Amino acid sequence: SKHFRTPEFIARLKEHDPNALQQLAKTYSCELLRAAYGLGFNESSAVDLIQNVWQTFLSILSRFEGRSHIRTFLFGILYK
């Protein structure tokens, strides 16, 4: 979503605004989960992997500069 690229939205994420984080998780969690299944993870392992993606995202969010789309950033975390 274009909305996720706005400096205002990124600032809200960096402030750990619960509504912004919830919007992002609602938008991308299923997509990330499907990708984890595509990598061969079973349901339990895939859910754990996605939780780790979100934890990593939150821990490195301060370094996100907005040059790539947040989706790209999330999938970069998933595939590492």
Side-chain angles (χ1 to χ4, degrees):
S1 171
K2 280 185 176 183
H3 159 113
F4 294 150
R5 292 191 81 141
T6 65
E8 295 81 17
F9 188 79
I10 293 168
R12 287 176 54 207
L13 288 175
K14 289 184 175 188
E15 293 165 5
H16 291 209
D17 176 285
N19 292 326
L21 293 168
Q22 184 178 21
Q23 277 185 294
L24 199 64
K26 192 174 185 181
T27 300
Y28 293 117
S29 288
C30 287
E31 202 174 329
L32 289 165
L33 196 57
R34 280 193 304 272
Y37 290 145
L39 291 170
F41 288 91
N42 65 30
E43 183 176 0
S44 175
S45 295
V47 169
D48 288 346
L49 177 61
I50 301 316
Q51 287 176 344
N52 287 336
V53 167
W54 288 115
Q55 288 171 344
T56 301
F57 175 76
L58 290 173
S59 71
I60 64 174
L61 183 55
S62 64
R63 296 192 307 228
F64 181 70
E65 297 175 357
R67 288 185 283 166
S68 67
H69 195 285
I70 290 175
R71 181 186 183 279
T72 305
F73 191 64
L74 287 166
F75 275 85
I77 296 167
L78 175 71
Y79 291 123
K80 283 195 176 177

